[in-house]
Amino acid sequence: MTVPREMPEKWPRVRGPGGAEEERRVRANAREYNEKFQYASNCIKTSKYNIVTFLPVNLFEQFQEVANTYFLFLLILQLIPQISSLSWFTTIVPLVLVLTITAVKDATDDYFRHKSDNQVNNRQSQVLINGVLRQEQWMNVRVGDIIKLENNQFVAADLLLLSSSEPHGLCYIETAELDGETNMKVRQAIPVTSELGDTSKLALFDGEVICEPPNNKLDKFGGTLYWKENKYPLSNQNMLLRGCVLRNTEWCFGLVIFAGPDTKLMQNSGRTKFKRTSIDRLMNTLVLWIFGFLVCMGVILAIGNAIWEHEVGVCFQIYLPWDEGVHSAFFSGFLSFWSYIIILNTVVPISLYVSVEVIRLGHSYFINWDKKMYCAKRRTPAEARTTTLNEELGQVEYIFSDKTGTLTQNIMVFSKCSVNGHSYGDVQDMLGHKAELGERPEPVDFSFNPLADPRFQFWDPSLLEAVKLGDPHVHEFFRLLSLCHTVMSEEKSEGELFYKAQSPDEGALVTAARNFGFVFRSRTPKTITVHELGRAITYQLLAILDFNNIRKRMSVIVRSPEGKIRLYCKGADTILLERLHPTNQDLTNVTTDHLNEYAGEGLRTLVLAYKDLEESYYEDWSERLHRASGAPEAREDRLARLYDEVEHDMMLLGATAIEDKLQQGVPETIAILTLANIKIWVLTGDKQETAVNIGYSCKMLTDDMTEVFVITGHTVLEVREELRKAREKMMDASRSMSNGFSYQEKLSSTKLTSVLEAIAGEYALVINGHSLAHALEADMEVEFLETACACKAVICCRVTPLQKAQVVELVKKYKKAVTLAIGDGANDVSMIKTAHIGVGISGQEGIQAVLASDYSFSQFKFLQRLLLVHGRWSYLRMCKFLCYFFYKNFAFTMVHFWFGFFCGFSAQTVYDQYFITLYNIVYTSLPVLAMGVFDQDVPEQRSMEYPKLYEPGQLNLLFNKREFFICIAQGIYTSVLMFFIPYGVFADATRDDGAQLADYQSFAVTVATSLVIVVSVQIGLDTGFWTAINHFFIWGSLAAYFAILFAMHSDGLFQMFPNQFRFVGNAQNTLAQPTVWLTIALTTVVCVMPVVAFRFLKLDLKPELSDTVRYTQLVRKKQKTQHRCMRRVGRVGSRRSGYAFSHQEGFGELIMSGKNMRLSSLALSGFAARPSASWIETLRKKKGGEGSTACSPSGAADKTLKV
């Protein structure tokens, strides 16, 4: 190889001081040279274990969980004879069960990863070795190899395209595995290598590539090829990435630059940030508290043991001697402490964590299996891509939504245009007036054009007439649309064109030009062929100045057959209008009016312009562009400056307006979610007028709103002043509408935005991207958040992907509220990953948003069901599960504490050790699992009809520290009765034969039986929705208890294992006594009756909304005839009521007076005889200082319902 003069003789180091790769150097056909850099092989490994490492690595991972380590510590304690009063199997059985279940799950997952890895690594590829093509497995491909790809083959590694079967070194690829886009994209070899089409020439190729190190940027690549004393710049257009598929290309050759884990596909497969729910965080805190409580109980009992041994035990040394090694009462107390830690450890059972995961898994399957969230058109079901966030779906307060493709369909239709100051596209009637909705005439007839797309429709014939009459401006307008794009054309048969566009907008514009007679037919790297009104014209393509999020425009420079060089540009109005020649001012004013009109109708707009270039100027500019392309540093900045230079002083042609229709059910979904006290913010890159119009279309903005604030300031001071004025207006309105008492009450809240959130009236905030940039600065972000959170709706326009994530992060930072982000495109990924919950829409923009999301489905309207049904149920079930779980374990464990005061604090257990082992994994595990998986308070239809049912989750009412302490108190109360009632009865009771009933084993059986029956009755009371599974598990668990009890105390087991089963015959003898059954019955009644009485009184005096909904169901069944009449009356009312309730069954019995009723009091009005305030409103006032959202009678949270 000959080293070029520009290339240093001494190579710079490839790896930095920390071992990180600073640049990559690859020489073709030189394995030995490349191997010295120790580049990764092409073998990929996504699996974590092998047969040898599985057991140690998996156990190490599992014991990194604090809970598992804690139980391992307890197991070690139980192996010490001096402190263990329980057999080791009472801990090891549940621990091994948990570890085994987790290990089996991990092993299964890893098996499928191994299977996938082997399938990929063993794919075959043709590698050029010593001038001969050989079949090699993918795993044996190395950096620097030249490989041959054939049509429809997957690309094996990241390759530099060298040559192909197509002219000019072109090839076509599909990138669905990388970004989800199924349209074909074009890649091109650099001219110097495109001639290397046969293996003999390629075998002699010894070029060297110096490029960037491995990274995850799919759309960028920078490098230089050094060959034959020359250097050639390389870009992403020259690269074929692993995961792509070769299409419509017979063959191509490529040089391997990155292999295996260094490829961009693998660099992008990093793990998503792990998200935890608020319940998880609370549970971790509570477990620490419980552990502290456990230590306190151990200390109390240890002190009791030391005192007892010092005062009493010392007198009985003859027949109750201390254990070997115990020489003092203090040391006896110390050992007793550890013994009680072992005995009382069941207040934090290991089965809790496994049960939580099982329940979450069940909830995830319910989402996946929900047929009402299945889109038949796209054959796309809803998918829970994580199992850890289900209950947080029931606590969402803020939704951040993209607009295009999320609220809208992202199916673009060319609707209107402005050409040389004349607007086209308005539908006109026979008299030439603008037609009203429903009066649309026949569409324009494009039959004159044999290449027209039959699916395209346009309603204004005057535009076609202008084309036929030869209007030069209209011709130039459509010529621009047919040339300025990156669309690929595929002609499957003569005249049958198929366009592959990178965005739906671009496809719609090129299709419009096609139908009006300017048909884009084909392209090569250097030419574009267009049929202009039936005449084929080939333009020389000199340069493409591509679109990106910063430029927000795209240009092409072409040379016409006459030799004229012209730049055509299309882009956002805010960018292009400031780059026009001053002579365009009058036309700019007219076009701007048209743009505002189009945006007001919710259309997406682009401005079109052109510029003629002198040959000499273009030659100079092209030379500078070539030098900038080969620059080793700051290449993109230098290119951007050159692009900016040539895209100035352009001549305005006109503007296009594309319609992106709302998805089905979006207005209804937003209205219902708003009634559920969920605030929806739309974050979009579209211009303000378009976004505002969509806001009105989807009912986020309404004419009934008090005011819509628009923030458009260009400086920090302007934005701050506009935000201040908005807050002042809201406060003034609140003062005028609220009486002094309620206003002062609102002012007493300490929460950041509580004062503004308690205002009367409904407001909305619209802010532009440039204003948002100032509003998100550190010294103004709180003011912006304060203003925005006081509004019912917020729309952020012209925002970048980074700003979307910043807005979400801002709400997370200052508001103790659960956030959800929903989007469909790659520009939504950062927002989706930042929010507590990310939802991806599988739409027109690929699947990058879906891949980054926690949940995915195909239509925005399914979000309503995901939150109000699945989310609410998941939260309800998890809360009921946790409350019951802590209750039953405290009731079980605290009996040992009370018994300690009667057994000399000797760490003697109350129960048989087998009962202790099986209590949590057999006797009580399945009923609580069934409740956690299947329970419902109201049916799914009612969850959708009554959005206010969602609010308890937002306020975190069903499981919090207060509810936890109530459960603990109930468990301790139950344990007191469970111990002292049998203890009191057994003190004087006798058997049927007159013998004393009181003995340790009979007492143990009585208490254990009472416990199992009481907790079974309790879960029966807690279960709100009975299924056959609930019945089977509850009664089956009771039957299993008695079956195992009699088996454990049988003669057979005693004869086989006399040292293990010492309670021989005890169950049969004890449970044969009527006194024992009366004791069990008394204990059960006394434990359960206060709970029943409290719930009955609460239901009668202060019912919750779910109780009221169930009551209304009963009323409906009894008064069907009356309801049918009331239903007819309901149809006369306002349409908006349809957003809050389904009128299918009517709710006439709830309406007692007045036309307008608040939803929070609507359901309660069924109890009109007992007038009372909404329980939600009362709790909101109480929780005002705890970060809860205030709810005023006239505020946005209490949306009125008109019937």
Side-chain angles (χ1 to χ4, degrees):
M1 171 183 167
T2 308
V3 180
R5 285 185 295 275
E6 297 90 336
M7 198 171 183
E9 291 291 338
K10 233 179 178 180
W11 295 105
R13 66 174 183 264
V14 175
R15 297 191 182 272
E21 194 173 334
E22 291 184 344
E23 66 178 20
R24 174 152 295 207
R25 187 174 299 113
V26 179
R27 185 179 296 173
N29 294 313
R31 277 196 174 187
E32 288 184 7
Y33 172 80
N34 296 320
E35 281 173 1
K36 71 182 181 183
F37 299 113
Q38 298 179 342
Y39 295 139
S41 73
N42 203 39
C43 178
I44 64 162
K45 180 184 176 186
T46 60
S47 57
K48 293 164 63 177
Y49 319 107
N50 57 41
I51 295 175
V52 177
T53 62
F54 173 73
L55 201 58
V57 173
N58 187 260
L59 287 176
F60 174 75
E61 288 176 347
Q62 290 201 57
F63 282 116
Q64 286 183 321
E65 290 282 338
V66 176
N68 291 342
T69 306
Y70 166 66
F71 287 105
L72 179 64
F73 172 68
L74 288 175
L75 177 61
I76 294 170
L77 289 181
Q78 284 182 282
L79 297 175
I80 303 173
Q82 286 81 3
I83 62 174
S84 179
S85 55
L86 283 175
S87 296
W88 53 268
F89 63 77
T90 58
T91 296
I92 201 171
V93 169
L95 180 61
V96 168
L97 185 65
V98 168
L99 294 176
T100 302
I101 291 172
T102 307
V104 168
K105 175 181 171 293
D106 291 343
T108 304
D109 290 345
D110 208 56
Y111 166 75
F112 287 111
R113 283 193 288 264
H114 270 288
K115 193 174 178 181
S116 174
D117 289 349
N118 290 334
Q119 182 182 354
V120 172
N121 288 330
N122 290 314
R123 285 177 180 169
Q124 296 294 309
S125 189
Q126 298 181 69
V127 182
L128 186 64
I129 300 176
N130 298 324
V132 179
L133 285 173
R134 296 181 183 173
Q135 289 287 340
E136 289 279 357
Q137 294 175 327
W138 275 23
M139 68 174 75
N140 296 326
V141 172
R142 297 288 182 267
V143 170
D145 287 351
I146 293 177
I147 64 176
K148 181 181 181 181
L149 293 175
E150 295 180 345
N151 194 33
N152 296 327
Q153 279 189 348
F154 278 95
V155 179
D158 288 358
L159 310 177
L160 170 64
L161 179 61
L162 297 177
S163 60
S164 77
S165 57
E166 301 300 300
H168 311 286
L170 282 178
C171 77
Y172 303 96
I173 56 171
E174 186 180 280
T175 59
E177 272 203 23
L178 286 174
D179 55 19
E181 296 178 6
T182 55
N183 355 315
M184 282 192 298
K185 297 180 175 63
V186 66
R187 295 292 183 263
Q188 184 180 10
I190 57 175
V192 71
T193 64
S194 61
E195 305 302 323
L196 305 177
D198 60 71
T199 55
S200 58
K201 291 179 181 178
L202 287 165
L204 298 174
F205 177 66
D206 61 350
E208 184 148 3
V209 173
I210 296 179
C211 65
E212 62 189 24
N215 60 73
N216 62 359
K217 296 175 181 175
L218 294 173
D219 56 346
K220 291 183 180 179
F221 177 81
T224 306
L225 170 66
Y226 293 89
W227 190 42
K228 293 183 178 179
E229 298 192 6
N230 289 306
K231 61 178 183 178
Y232 307 94
L234 305 175
S235 70
N236 199 50
Q237 284 298 109
N238 311 125
M239 296 295 293
L240 304 181
L241 302 185
R242 179 180 181 132
C244 300
V245 181
L246 193 66
R247 299 289 191 202
N248 295 357
T249 307
E250 190 177 338
W251 53 262
C252 72
F253 285 96
L255 172 66
V256 178
I257 304 295
F258 301 119
D262 291 342
T263 58
K264 291 183 184 284
L265 174 67
M266 298 305 295
Q267 291 279 313
N268 273 280
S269 62
R271 292 182 181 177
T272 306
K273 180 183 174 184
F274 183 66
K275 299 179 180 180
R276 298 187 72 88
T277 67
S278 56
I279 285 184
D280 276 332
R281 293 189 290 272
L282 175 61
M283 205 159 67
N284 288 338
T285 303
L286 298 181
V287 167
L288 290 176
W289 286 4
I290 292 172
F291 183 73
F293 181 65
L294 172 62
V295 171
C296 290
M297 288 194 294
V299 169
I300 292 170
L301 293 168
I303 293 172
N305 177 268
I307 295 172
W308 191 90
E309 290 290 355
H310 183 267
E311 299 292 334
V312 182
V314 72
C315 304
F316 297 92
Q317 287 295 310
I318 297 172
Y319 63 92
L320 276 178
W322 285 337
D323 292 336
E324 186 178 347
V326 178
H327 305 294
S328 67
F330 174 80
F331 191 64
S332 174
F334 173 76
L335 294 179
S336 178
F337 169 79
W338 294 108
S339 298
Y340 273 112
I341 291 294
I342 294 171
I343 291 173
L344 301 173
N345 80 81
T346 47
V347 287
V348 191
I350 193 170
S351 55
L352 170 66
Y353 296 93
V354 179
S355 301
V356 165
E357 292 306 317
V358 170
I359 289 171
R360 285 174 173 165
L361 185 65
H363 295 169
S364 298
Y365 277 117
F366 288 154
I367 293 172
N368 296 344
W369 293 339
D370 191 342
K371 292 182 179 179
K372 294 182 181 177
M373 294 171 68
Y374 175 79
C375 179
K377 183 178 179 181
R378 294 180 185 163
R379 297 182 179 178
T380 307
E383 181 184 5
R385 299 173 56 82
T386 179
T387 60
T388 58
L389 302 175
N390 295 327
E391 63 269 17
E392 201 145 67
L393 288 171
Q395 299 179 278
V396 173
E397 286 190 55
Y398 288 87
I399 292 175
F400 300 92
S401 175
D402 177 40
K403 182 186 76 69
T404 306
T406 304
L407 300 178
T408 59
Q409 297 179 26
N410 202 18
I411 299 175
M412 308 301 176
V413 178
F414 183 85
S415 179
K416 294 184 178 183
C417 64
S418 170
V419 184
N420 195 35
H422 192 287
S423 180
Y424 299 95
D426 286 325
V427 183
Q428 298 180 342
D429 59 18
M430 300 296 291
L431 299 176
H433 300 119
K434 190 173 180 179
E436 297 296 327
L437 192 68
E439 300 176 4
R440 181 165 282 189
E442 289 296 314
V444 174
D445 181 13
F446 293 107
S447 58
F448 79 97
N449 181 1
L451 295 176
D453 186 339
R455 295 168 297 179
F456 178 85
Q457 289 186 319
F458 197 74
W459 307 93
D460 186 353
S462 61
L463 182 57
L464 184 58
E465 290 171 12
V467 171
K468 291 180 177 180
L469 290 173
D471 186 323
H473 296 101
V474 174
H475 279 208
E476 199 65 16
F477 178 88
F478 285 116
R479 185 174 292 117
L480 185 152
L481 292 182
S482 65
L483 293 171
C484 186
H485 56 79
T486 56
V487 173
M488 301 302 301
S489 174
E490 185 180 353
E491 194 163 355
K492 295 187 176 179
S493 60
E494 182 64 30
E496 190 178 356
L497 290 173
F498 291 91
Y499 289 153
K500 299 285 188 179
Q502 287 184 283
S503 73
D505 300 70
E506 198 160 62
L509 294 174
V510 178
T511 301
R514 168 185 173 179
N515 277 59
F516 282 98
F518 289 75
V519 184
F520 163 62
R521 198 67 184 262
S522 63
R523 70 160 70 239
T524 71
K526 298 298 182 183
T527 64
I528 296 180
T529 300
V530 179
H531 281 219
E532 296 185 0
L533 300 175
R535 188 165 58 97
I537 299 178
T538 299
Y539 292 85
Q540 185 181 352
L541 179 61
L542 302 177
I544 295 179
L545 285 55
D546 212 351
F547 176 91
N548 64 37
N549 282 332
I550 299 171
R551 286 168 40 75
K552 295 185 178 176
R553 61 190 184 276
M554 177 204 173
S555 300
V556 295
I557 300 176
V558 297
R559 191 194 305 268
S560 68
E562 295 80 24
K564 185 191 295 184
I565 299 176
R566 179 167 283 186
L567 176 142
Y568 290 109
C569 183
K570 66 181 181 186
D573 55 348
T574 53
I575 302 295
L576 249 67
L577 293 179
E578 63 188 25
R579 284 172 165 74
L580 298 177
H581 194 277
T583 58
N584 287 264
Q585 191 57 51
D586 292 339
L587 179 57
T588 300
N589 294 336
V590 176
T591 306
T592 302
D593 291 340
H594 292 159
L595 285 168
N596 292 334
E597 178 189 336
Y598 300 157
E601 297 172 15
L603 305 177
R604 296 161 63 88
T605 57
L606 280 177
V607 172
L608 312 183
Y610 71 93
K611 177 183 180 180
D612 288 320
L613 302 178
E614 296 291 336
E615 182 76 36
S616 58
Y617 171 79
Y618 170 73
E619 291 295 338
D620 174 62
W621 181 86
S622 177
E623 176 61 28
R624 286 184 286 143
L625 181 72
H626 181 71
R627 288 201 301 270
S629 300
E633 295 180 357
R635 179 186 300 178
E636 291 183 10
D637 292 338
R638 294 175 66 175
L639 289 174
R641 285 195 293 271
L642 284 169
Y643 291 172
D644 196 55
E645 174 194 318
V646 76
E647 293 171 330
H648 261 92
D649 294 332
M650 295 184 287
M651 303 301 292
L652 180 61
L653 261 179
T656 63
I658 293 175
E659 182 180 9
D660 185 11
K661 295 181 180 179
L662 277 180
Q663 288 187 19
Q664 182 184 2
V666 167
E668 295 83 352
T669 300
I670 287 178
I672 289 178
L673 292 177
T674 302
L675 288 173
N677 198 47
I678 297 173
K679 294 188 177 181
I680 300 175
W681 294 21
V682 171
L683 312 178
T684 177
D686 271 352
K687 64 186 298 183
Q688 177 184 312
E689 294 81 359
T690 305
V692 168
N693 190 269
I694 292 294
Y696 278 103
S697 299
C698 63
K699 301 296 185 287
M700 276 185 66
L701 307 179
T702 64
D703 294 328
D704 297 333
M705 283 184 159
T706 311
E707 189 165 350
V708 177
F709 301 110
V710 180
I711 311 297
T712 57
H714 285 78
T715 66
V716 174
L717 293 176
E718 288 176 2
V719 174
R720 179 176 275 119
E721 182 64 19
E722 289 176 1
L723 290 172
R724 185 186 61 79
K725 287 181 178 177
R727 290 196 302 277
E728 284 182 355
K729 283 187 179 180
M730 289 188 279
M731 295 294 288
D732 291 342
S734 183
R735 288 190 185 98
S736 62
M737 296 177 68
S738 304
N739 60 50
F741 172 76
S742 62
Y743 185 67
Q744 291 299 321
E745 183 182 26
K746 291 164 191 169
L747 285 177
S748 65
S749 174
T750 59
K751 190 188 173 187
L752 171 68
T753 60
S754 59
V755 175
L756 281 172
E757 286 184 344
I759 61 167
E762 292 183 354
Y763 298 89
L765 180 73
V766 179
I767 184 167
N768 265 315
H770 54 78
S771 304
L772 185 63
H774 297 304
L776 291 174
E777 292 179 4
D779 59 340
M780 208 194 303
E781 61 181 14
V782 174
E783 295 178 50
F784 166 64
L785 183 69
E786 191 177 54
T787 310
C789 288
C791 297
K792 178 186 173 186
V794 178
I795 298 177
C796 302
C797 318
R798 298 292 198 193
V799 294
T800 64
L802 178 61
Q803 285 179 323
K804 290 184 178 185
Q806 287 174 332
V807 171
V808 177
E809 189 60 48
L810 180 65
V811 174
K812 284 177 65 180
K813 181 179 177 182
Y814 289 105
K815 304 283 292 180
K816 293 180 180 177
V818 177
T819 59
L820 180 147
I822 179 169
D824 74 318
N827 61 334
D828 302 315
V829 168
S830 55
M831 172 178 75
I832 285 171
K833 287 186 174 180
T834 302
H836 291 100
I837 300 168
V839 177
I841 299 283
S842 49
Q844 305 290 322
E845 292 191 25
I847 58 170
Q848 281 187 310
V850 171
L851 295 176
S853 67
D854 305 304
Y855 300 89
S856 68
F857 40 72
S858 61
Q859 294 184 44
F860 182 84
K861 67 179 182 180
F862 294 148
L863 184 62
Q864 174 186 345
R865 186 169 177 82
L866 182 72
L867 298 184
L868 299 189
V869 178
H870 292 288
R872 202 182 73 80
W873 277 352
S874 293
Y875 174 72
L876 169 80
R877 291 161 176 167
M878 185 59 70
C879 292
K880 292 182 77 170
F881 163 80
L882 291 173
C883 287
Y884 176 79
F885 210 97
F886 285 122
Y887 154 76
K888 77 179 179 68
N889 281 288
F890 266 78
F892 166 62
T893 306
M894 288 300 292
V895 174
H896 293 299
F897 183 77
W898 311 123
F899 186 56
F901 291 90
F902 295 90
C903 67
F905 305 97
S906 60
Q908 172 68 44
T909 59
V910 177
Y911 315 110
D912 172 14
Q913 59 186 3
Y914 292 101
F915 178 80
I916 295 173
T917 305
L918 299 175
Y919 178 76
N920 273 312
I921 61 176
V922 176
Y923 301 148
T924 61
S925 61
L926 294 179
V928 71
L929 275 179
M931 182 179 72
V933 172
F934 299 108
D935 202 47
Q936 302 173 16
D937 54 348
V938 298
E940 61 182 65
Q941 300 93 327
R942 304 290 173 250
S943 291
M944 305 279 273
E945 284 179 16
Y946 296 86
K948 286 286 180 182
L949 287 167
Y950 190 79
E951 288 196 7
Q954 296 171 324
L955 296 170
N956 203 21
L957 298 180
L958 302 186
F959 186 74
N960 49 42
K961 291 170 185 174
R962 176 177 172 272
E963 292 297 319
F964 169 73
F965 284 119
I966 290 173
C967 299
I968 298 308
Q970 185 187 353
I972 293 173
Y973 164 79
T974 301
S975 70
V976 169
L977 298 177
M978 200 80 63
F979 176 78
F980 284 102
I981 290 178
Y983 183 83
V985 171
F986 275 46
D988 299 316
T990 58
R991 299 165 58 88
D992 291 342
D993 57 5
Q996 182 69 24
L997 180 60
D999 65 77
Y1000 166 68
Q1001 293 181 342
S1002 299
F1003 180 76
V1005 169
T1006 304
V1007 173
T1009 306
S1010 301
L1011 175 65
V1012 172
I1013 292 175
V1014 167
V1015 297
S1016 297
V1017 172
Q1018 182 65 45
I1019 200 167
L1021 293 174
D1022 288 346
T1023 301
F1025 181 71
W1026 285 86
T1027 66
I1029 296 174
N1030 293 83
H1031 281 289
F1032 177 74
F1033 281 172
I1034 291 176
W1035 313 127
S1037 295
L1038 270 175
Y1041 165 72
F1042 284 107
I1044 293 172
L1045 177 69
F1046 286 115
M1048 292 283 191
H1049 296 189
S1050 65
D1051 295 341
L1053 278 179
F1054 174 72
Q1055 290 170 3
M1056 287 187 285
F1057 308 103
N1059 293 327
Q1060 296 296 324
F1061 299 97
R1062 300 171 182 171
F1063 279 42
V1064 58
N1066 181 260
Q1068 294 86 333
N1069 292 332
T1070 302
L1071 296 179
Q1073 303 300 316
T1075 306
V1076 171
W1077 282 108
L1078 289 172
T1079 304
I1080 293 171
L1082 176 63
T1083 305
T1084 303
V1085 170
V1086 176
C1087 287
V1088 171
M1089 279 308 295
V1091 178
V1092 174
F1094 173 77
R1095 293 186 182 181
F1096 177 79
L1097 290 173
K1098 184 182 177 186
L1099 184 67
D1100 193 53
L1101 300 175
K1102 195 178 180 182
E1104 295 184 354
L1105 185 56
S1106 57
D1107 301 323
T1108 311
V1109 171
R1110 285 196 296 268
Y1111 169 78
T1112 58
Q1113 284 182 270
L1114 296 174
V1115 174
R1116 282 186 175 123
K1117 291 178 182 177
K1118 295 177 182 177
Q1119 301 178 352
K1120 286 184 180 179
T1121 308
Q1122 177 186 350
H1123 291 184
R1124 290 194 191 101
C1125 298
M1126 294 302 292
R1127 192 158 57 225
R1128 293 191 200 102
V1129 174
R1131 286 185 186 144
V1132 182
S1134 166
R1135 259 178 55 194
R1136 276 178 292 173
S1137 62
Y1139 302 141
F1141 291 96
S1142 165
H1143 284 195
Q1144 292 176 359
E1145 294 187 45
F1147 45 94
E1149 77 283 356
L1150 298 178
I1151 304 172
M1152 304 304 295
S1153 63
K1155 184 179 180 182
N1156 297 330
M1157 302 187 70
R1158 290 188 184 87
L1159 187 59
S1160 57
S1161 58
L1162 177 63
L1164 292 174
S1165 62
F1167 294 89
R1170 280 191 315 278
S1172 63
S1174 164
W1175 68 283
I1176 289 286
E1177 289 179 16
T1178 306
L1179 280 164
R1180 282 197 181 282
K1181 290 177 183 176
K1182 289 181 180 178
K1183 294 173 71 67
E1186 300 175 18
S1188 302
T1189 305
C1191 178
S1192 68
S1194 55
D1198 266 337
K1199 174 76 176 176
T1200 59
L1201 177 71
K1202 296 179 182 179
V1203 181

